[in-house]
Amino acid sequence: MKKTFFITTPIYYVNAPPTIGSAYSTIVADVLARWHRLKKIDTFFLTGLDENSSKTVKAAKEKNYTNIQKYTNDMARIWKEVWKRLNISYDNFIRTTDPKHKKIAQNYFNKVYKKKDIYLGTYEGLYCEGCEEFKRGLDLKNGLCPYHKTTPIKIKEQNYFFKLSKYQNKLINLIEKNKKFILPESRREEILNFIKTGLHDLSVSRPNLEWGIDVPFDKKQKLWVWFDALLNYKTGVNKRYWKDQVIHLVGKDIQKFHCIIWPAILLSTREPLPTTVFSHGFFTINGQKISKSLGNAIGPIELANKYSVDALRYYLIREIPFGQDGDFSENALKNRLNNELANDLGNLLSRTLTLVEKFFDKKIKKGKIDSKLKNKLNFKKIDSLIENINPTEALSEIWRFIKEVNKYINDKKPWENEKERKDVLYTALDSLRIIALLLFPFIPDTSEKINKQLNIKLTNFKDAKFGLLKEGKINKGEILFKKIEEQKIKEFKNNEIKQKPMVKYEDFQKLEIKVGKIKSAKEHPNADKLLILEVDTGDRVRQIVAGIKGHYTLEELKGKEIVVLTNLEPRDLRGFKSEGMLLAASDDNKIVILKPEKEIKPGSGVK
Ligand code: MSP
């Protein structure tokens, strides 16, 4: 039987679209999944959404949804669109409102109950709705939740308790014996110390909630959302994947749930435990966690549109050692794009192919591999870094080799060194083939572009050895990465600052500005940045072509109230008539639509 590799991300709350934080876990999980698929290991990559939280209800109501399920369906579409754009190759996208998940979660609750590990009790204490967690005094900082900076609510309620205390010693044993159960090492100690301070029984149901999964034997209670959410790792996958390697990637804020509560539930139901729970750090901005609730979120899509998906994936993995915290910096992203992706990798490909074009009429001629350069690539080491969940170091190691190949070309000077030219260019081309293969899990689009130019197809890691590139013709194409020019950005900023001349009040009065409601949105077939909107402006539904593509998903736009300049002369924008202009604000990172602060009927005048 084939070896299995099962990798999961946390399932995300649906109160907002993905942030850099959620993209981070998901991209790393994607890298690990793709890596194992290339090793021909039977791989399953699970991600999805945690939809049964009270936060879902709150967010839906804030957005004027009366049907909560409709809200989660709309959000699920957005999340999937984002993952598609970021090339996330998940095998299943679980949603906890799926009836199959609900049923299995109830079965588990029953199982634990029948093991006499669940009993009815009264909880009196604090609850943070942001974390969906019962809090103790020592979990707080100055009375506030350290993650959400909010005061937890006081509750006193009857609910079902899980006998977590019963598993205290078993958990200590497990974690002490199994050094890989919690990674990185520092987190393992943190959890061990926490358990040793004493585990208390835990409420696993909540009364009087309007949204969630019913406790199977008590309809007045709903499953505590974490009990339900953790079970996605069972309900989202065929149990044959709970075999060789089961890896949960989580942020450090949710490691306790995964390293204590989750294994305790599995111990109670006597099921296999995960191999590893790996807790990564936070991306911060000025030291604060980037998060929806703190309002400092940067959209991964905006960044991908501006710099490319691969530049974003590369930056996120390479910049901060996986497991540690780090500050997000657009400047650092730009530097890595310019220096590493464009210079080191992009130039290596284009200079090699230019030489092949010039001296060998675009032909790949088989030559002798340089054994010194060959020895600079250590596949086993890279693989073992990935197996130890160190994608940052693995990528750096690949990069070291890319630099070596550049140095090799510089030293050998194949443009003047006729004697060795064939061997040098073959060695460089074959190295590029292996580089593309190794980079596929990290930056799949780029890897495919390299393959296309080398005129080869992606294979697997059996081919991560030298000398396999066959004779043939190259297919030199576009450069891999365009550099971001600092100059351009500065000029743009200066223009923005320049003030326009004063206008008379009467001139302003000539403008007719109205509230509109977007009925539909689609992509412009012949333009990169334009969307075609149907907008109800009270008088009629008009077509407006707007340059906001990439800043909003089509789903997000539908139903949105906006502000429209309605008496602008119609214009033809690449074959589509635009009958008005949508008002939006922009800086050099993003465009945001202006919208009325409260709902108001389409056609209302803006004064
Ligand atoms: N729904 C729970 C998880 C249930 S898993 C059975 C949840 N959801 S979440 O949407 O709030 O967060 C999901 C993950 O995103 C967490 O691992 C969290 O650490 C991670 N991140 C959110 N913001 C982050 C950063 N700024 N940086 C890195 N990851 C962070 O918790």
Side-chain angles (χ1 to χ4, degrees), residues 440-459:
F440 178 75
F442 301 89
I443 44 175
D445 283 346
T446 307
S447 159
E448 273 169 21
K449 282 185 194 161
I450 301 175
N451 284 344
K452 220 169 161 190
Q453 302 206 25
L454 295 176
N455 225 338
I456 55 170
K457 293 239 162 357
L458 175 76
T459 55

Side-chain angles (χ1 to χ4, degrees), residues 270-387:
R270 306 220 162 89
E271 280 181 89
L273 298 172
T275 328
T276 299
V277 176
F278 190 102
S279 310
H280 62 73
F282 285 161
F283 263 102
T284 53
I285 287 188
N286 303 325
Q288 287 240 344
K289 180 181 167 213
I290 303 173
S291 85
K292 317 157 204 179
S293 50
L294 299 177
N296 60 358
I298 310 183
I301 293 293
E302 291 158 36
L303 290 165
N305 287 345
K306 206 163 152 192
Y307 302 106
S308 80
V309 171
D310 279 356
L312 176 66
R313 289 176 65 114
Y314 180 82
Y315 168 76
L316 290 179
I317 298 162
R318 182 79 198 268
E319 181 74 9
I320 291 148
F322 195 57
Q324 297 178 19
D325 288 342
D327 231 35
F328 179 86
S329 146
E330 223 177 307
N331 237 346
L333 194 164
K334 248 183 275 173
N335 287 338
R336 290 208 180 264
L337 168 58
N338 285 349
N339 301 333
E340 289 155 32
L341 293 170
N343 268 357
D344 298 342
L345 179 62
N347 280 352
L348 174 61
L349 179 74
S350 72
R351 70 197 292 217
T352 309
L353 296 192
T354 303
L355 290 167
V356 174
E357 200 169 50
K358 187 163 168 203
F359 293 107
F360 294 141
D361 188 26
K362 303 187 184 165
K363 289 201 188 88
I364 301 173
K365 293 200 177 174
K366 201 136 187 175
K368 216 170 120 262
I369 295 285
D370 186 289
S371 56
K372 249 201 204 148
L373 183 70
K374 178 176 152 183
N375 290 337
K376 298 263 162 69
L377 179 71
N378 187 344
F379 177 75
K380 273 209 180 112
K381 180 172 175 198
I382 300 169
D383 183 47
S384 104
L385 286 165
I386 292 281
E387 292 305 339

Side-chain angles (χ1 to χ4, degrees), residues 10-13 21 50 226 251 253-254 280-283 289-290:
I11 50 171
Y12 303 102
Y13 290 126
D50 185 352
W226 268 99
D253 53 337
I254 59 171
H280 62 73
F282 285 161
F283 263 102
K289 180 181 167 213
I290 303 173

Side-chain angles (χ1 to χ4, degrees), residues 36 64 68 70 77 89 93 98 103 123 168 216 250 293 322 345 365 436:
H36 286 87
N64 294 325
I68 314 285
K70 162 106 178 47
R77 233 170 284 134
S89 62
F93 186 91
D98 178 348
K103 192 155 168 275
Y123 176 82
Q168 174 163 337
V250 302
S293 50
F322 195 57
L345 179 62
K365 293 200 177 174

Side-chain angles (χ1 to χ4, degrees), residues 392-541:
T392 315
E393 229 357 85
L395 189 52
S396 309
E397 191 61 33
I398 299 173
W399 228 262
R400 246 167 257 145
F401 181 65
I402 293 173
K403 285 183 187 272
E404 288 292 346
V405 185
N406 270 317
K407 187 170 168 292
Y408 167 75
I409 296 180
N410 293 347
D411 293 347
K412 291 284 180 184
K413 300 190 174 41
W415 50 93
E416 58 186 41
N417 173 357
E418 212 185 317
K419 208 170 115 237
E420 285 187 291
R421 183 173 294 145
K422 196 171 75 173
D423 293 342
V424 174
L425 290 183
Y426 182 72
T427 301
L429 286 167
D430 201 39
S431 301
L432 274 160
R433 175 187 64 81
I434 298 176
I435 290 166
L437 179 60
L438 299 181
L439 285 180
F440 178 75
F442 301 89
I443 44 175
D445 283 346
T446 307
S447 159
E448 273 169 21
K449 282 185 194 161
I450 301 175
N451 284 344
K452 220 169 161 190
Q453 302 206 25
L454 295 176
N455 225 338
I456 55 170
K457 293 239 162 357
L458 175 76
T459 55
N460 59 54
F461 285 154
K462 256 196 355 279
D463 293 343
K465 52 177 182 272
F466 286 87
L468 298 183
L469 184 66
K470 295 202 179 88
E471 297 212 322
K473 250 193 160 179
I474 56 155
N475 196 0
K476 190 167 185 291
E478 272 181 39
I479 58 165
L480 293 179
F481 292 93
K482 286 202 188 86
K483 282 194 184 184
I484 303 283
E485 289 167 48
E486 286 300 321
Q487 202 46 36
K488 263 197 194 147
I489 295 162
K490 273 190 205 132
E491 277 166 23
F492 179 63
K493 273 194 189 139
N494 290 341
N495 287 343
E496 291 281 286
I497 296 163
K498 255 187 231 154
Q499 210 182 353
K500 299 217 168 112
M502 293 291 178
V503 291
K504 293 209 174 69
Y505 184 68
E506 294 85 274
D507 287 337
F508 175 70
Q509 273 193 318
K510 285 183 200 152
L511 303 179
E512 184 183 75
I513 306 177
K514 286 185 179 173
V515 171
K517 189 167 186 156
I518 301 178
K519 294 266 158 215
S520 72
K522 61 178 183 195
E523 296 191 349
H524 193 303
N526 314 318
D528 282 352
K529 298 194 172 140
L530 300 178
L531 293 182
I532 302 172
L533 313 174
E534 300 274 355
V535 182
D536 179 0
T537 46
D539 50 345
R540 66 195 164 91
V541 173

